[in-house]
Amino acid sequence: QVQLVESGGGSVQAGGSLRLSCVASGYTYVLYRMGWFRQAPGKGHEGVATIDIDGGTTNYADAVKGRFNIAQDTSKNTLYLQMNSMRPEDTAMYYCAAAGDGGRWSEFADFGYWGHGTQVTVSS
């Protein structure tokens, strides 16, 4: 099994920045890809950004391109999401996710491991 624990959420004003972290533990050697999803109230899970663990290929949702940056520190089994120029529409619960193969990067169902989430609130 793989366990994912997020941290770093909070409240920020529009234009501000936050950095999320996710520490993976357990059988991390099975992982192919890690990423971040978010879920706003009343909406489904939205793929935000992912990174392939070997090779570092990244994917971003159009809504966050140029503002968010995903990175990993494989020596620490830690995933990061640096969020800059934040907007009220970025308000959501953010989840760390991991997959054992290279499925559809933005598809919720293609990720088998999930953290409990961390709340991010952006005020205008």
Side-chain angles (χ1 to χ4, degrees), residues 29-30 36 45 62 68 74 89 100 103 112 114 121:
Y29 60 86
V30 304
W36 296 93
H45 287 84
D62 288 343
F68 290 12
T74 55
E89 53 264 40
W114 292 87
T121 302

Side-chain angles (χ1 to χ4, degrees), residues 12-20 38 48 60 63-70 81-90 94 120 122:
V12 65
Q13 289 191 327
S17 298
L18 282 175
R19 188 177 80 155
L20 305 182
R38 65 186 181 187
V48 176
Y60 292 92
V64 306
K65 281 181 181 176
R67 301 189 297 122
F68 290 12
N69 184 68
I70 190 170
L81 184 69
Q82 178 66 44
M83 304 184 289
N84 300 322
S85 302
M86 298 188 72
R87 305 167 181 169
E89 53 264 40
D90 295 322
Y94 281 70
V120 171
V122 185

Side-chain angles (χ1 to χ4, degrees), residues 45-68:
H45 287 84
E46 175 191 18
V48 176
T50 64
I51 186 167
D52 293 349
I53 294 171
D54 290 333
T57 299
T58 58
N59 293 285
Y60 292 92
D62 288 343
V64 306
K65 281 181 181 176
R67 301 189 297 122
F68 290 12

Side-chain angles (χ1 to χ4, degrees), residues 4 6 22 31 33-37 49-51 79 95-99 108 111-115:
L4 305 173
E6 307 99 332
C22 171
L31 299 179
R33 174 177 292 156
M34 293 186 70
W36 296 93
F37 283 71
T50 64
I51 186 167
L79 180 73
Y95 296 91
C96 179
F108 170 83
F111 287 76
Y113 305 99
W114 292 87

